[in-house]
């Protein structure tokens, strides 16, 4: 009686391979049985390697830069040194500008509250700003997910980036900090700066500072919602568990069919209400009947929405 010994390899779905990296050597395991194993059923005689009788060889091929990607395959190589994921000095300047203006607005709110000895109103205004930021992130996310394309004025770059995010959601965790935030930081700079210069009202600044700050950092909260808890700082995990920041569990529903829910990415507190009342679906119907524009979420999942696999590994048995 023949005994066949098998070894199973656990393949990681989170390994990243650069297209320009040298071939990665793989070990092979030889399992020796007491009787001869017939390998003719597994491969042709011409391609069969010459191994000794009684050996079953399972060999993992090296991944080289020339490893082909099959046509119509969803396999995607994540390139860690992709320049589109890296921060530039321009990105850093915009993020610095946005953070500076938000901090000035927050400082004006605190200073005004201290001088007038009225802390309750600015604090409540800040809470309202935090709640509105989540709603605003959802409305904005819904809009660029469903309408326009890369050629759309002003928002084209963001629309293209979010469509790419649906195909390759893991890349947001590889995107560098300033690269991820600079577009929103630039918008905050232009909108909050005039308010900061024109007003000293602590209540207004409490609302504006927290709302604009949360919107600016919403893409970082979004990135954390794609990371595993083991990869996040303990404080971030605690805030996600407390519902103060959108969690991985909640946001993951947005990346599953029908791709038309859980748009809010600050805290996610609006998601349940917006989805149950079908607010966005109602807006889509209004736009369709008034303008004849169909949202992307009405289309059956295709190449624009289908998530690609992060890595390819080949196992060849002889």
């Amino acid at each position: 009686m023949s005994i066949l010994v098998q070894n199973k390899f656990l393949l990681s779905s989170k390994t990243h391979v650069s297209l320009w990296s040298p071939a990665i050597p793989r070990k092979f395991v030889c399992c020796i049985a007491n009787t001869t194993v017939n390998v003719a059923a597994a491969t042709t005689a011409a391609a069969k390697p010459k191994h000794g009788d009684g050996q079953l060889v399972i060999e993992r091929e090296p991944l080289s830069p020339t490893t082909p990607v099959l046509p119509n395959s969803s396999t995607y190589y994540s390139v860690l040194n992709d320049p589109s994921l890296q921060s530039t000095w321009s990105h850093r300047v915009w993020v610095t500008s946005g953070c500076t203006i938000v901090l000035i607005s927050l400082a004006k709110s605190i200073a005004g509250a201290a001088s007038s000895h009225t802390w309750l109103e600015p604090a409540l205004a800040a809470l309202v700003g935090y709640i509105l930021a989540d709603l605003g992130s959802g409305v904005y996310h819904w809009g660029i997910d469903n309408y326009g394309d890369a050629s759309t004025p002003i928002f084209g770059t963001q629309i293209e980036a979010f469509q790419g995010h649906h195909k390759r959601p893991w890349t947001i965790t590889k995107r560098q900090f300033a690269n991820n935030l600079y577009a929103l930081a630039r918008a905050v700079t232009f909108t909050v700066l005039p308010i900061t210069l024109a007003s000293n009202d602590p209540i207004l600044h409490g609302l504006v500072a927290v709302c604009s700050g949360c919107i600016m950092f919403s893409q970082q909260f979004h990135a954390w919602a794609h990371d595993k808890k083991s990869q996040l700082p303990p404080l971030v995990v605690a805030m996600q568990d407390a519902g103060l920041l959108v969690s991985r569990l909640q946001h993951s529903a947005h990346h599953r069919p029908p791709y038309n829910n859980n748009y809010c990415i600050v805290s996610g507190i609006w998601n349940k209400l917006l989805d149950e009342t079908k607010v966005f679906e109602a807006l889509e119907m209004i736009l369709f009947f008034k303008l004849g524009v169909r949202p992307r979420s009405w289309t059956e999942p295709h190449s624009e929405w289908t998530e690609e696999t992060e890595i390819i590994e080949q196992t060849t048995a002889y």
Side-chain angles (χ1 to χ4, degrees), residues 222-239:
H222 185 190
W224 285 334
H226 281 277
D227 264 323
K228 295 180 179 178
K229 286 188 174 183
S230 59
Q231 299 171 324
L232 295 174
L235 178 60
V236 172
V237 174
M239 294 179 72

Side-chain angles (χ1 to χ4, degrees), residues 46-307:
K48 181 178 67 177
K50 301 299 183 181
H51 298 298
D53 288 342
Q55 293 183 342
L56 173 65
V57 178
I58 300 176
E59 183 175 353
R60 295 179 69 184
E61 294 179 348
L63 291 176
S64 67
T66 58
T67 303
V69 178
L70 300 177
N72 302 321
S73 170
S74 63
T75 302
Y76 174 79
Y77 281 97
S78 179
V79 183
L80 295 182
N81 60 350
D82 184 348
S84 69
L85 303 178
Q86 298 176 353
S87 297
T88 66
W89 282 109
S90 174
H91 298 161
R92 297 183 181 98
V93 167
W94 281 119
V95 171
T96 301
S97 172
C99 290
T100 300
I101 292 171
V102 168
L103 289 175
I104 291 174
S105 180
L106 183 61
K108 280 194 168 187
S109 178
I110 295 174
S115 62
S116 62
H117 303 287
T118 56
W119 293 96
L120 180 60
E121 289 86 350
L124 289 176
L127 178 60
V128 171
Y130 165 73
I131 295 172
L132 289 178
D134 188 58
L135 177 61
S137 73
V139 173
Y140 183 75
H141 190 178
W142 163 77
I144 62 176
D145 259 12
N146 287 284
Y147 301 100
D149 54 32
S151 63
T152 301
I154 302 176
F155 302 103
T157 303
Q158 284 283 290
I159 293 170
E160 185 179 28
F162 268 73
Q163 288 308 299
H165 174 67
H166 275 276
K167 290 178 70 66
R168 298 170 290 274
W170 66 88
T171 58
I172 195 172
T173 65
K174 311 303 176 188
R175 193 176 292 277
Q176 293 183 353
F177 178 77
N179 181 292
N180 199 22
L181 269 60
Y182 82 95
L184 292 173
R186 182 169 54 193
V188 166
T189 298
F190 288 122
T191 55
V192 179
L193 180 59
I195 300 173
T196 303
L197 297 176
S199 174
N200 292 317
D201 185 351
I203 298 176
L204 175 63
H205 280 294
L207 173 70
V208 169
V210 174
C211 184
S212 61
C214 287
I215 288 176
M216 183 172 64
F217 278 87
S218 63
Q219 274 294 82
Q220 185 58 52
F221 305 154
H222 185 190
W224 285 334
H226 281 277
D227 264 323
K228 295 180 179 178
K229 286 188 174 183
S230 59
Q231 299 171 324
L232 295 174
L235 178 60
V236 172
V237 174
M239 294 179 72
Q240 287 181 342
D241 291 342
L244 298 176
L245 296 179
V246 65
S247 67
R248 179 185 177 95
L249 178 62
Q250 185 183 59
H251 183 65
S252 62
H254 179 71
H255 289 273
R256 294 193 298 267
Y259 306 101
N260 63 354
N261 52 49
N262 287 274
Y263 287 106
C264 301
I265 54 175
V266 173
S267 63
I269 58 175
W270 283 93
N271 282 326
K272 184 176 180 180
L273 176 63
L274 292 172
D275 294 340
E276 289 181 349
T277 57
K278 301 187 183 300
V279 170
F280 291 127
E281 293 184 26
L283 292 175
E284 290 166 1
M285 293 295 291
I286 293 171
L287 291 175
F288 176 70
F289 285 113
K290 292 291 185 181
L291 304 176
V293 180
R294 294 173 62 89
R296 272 185 285 269
S297 60
W298 288 9
T299 307
E300 288 296 323
H302 51 79
S303 59
E304 286 189 38
W305 293 96
T306 306
E307 180 179 338

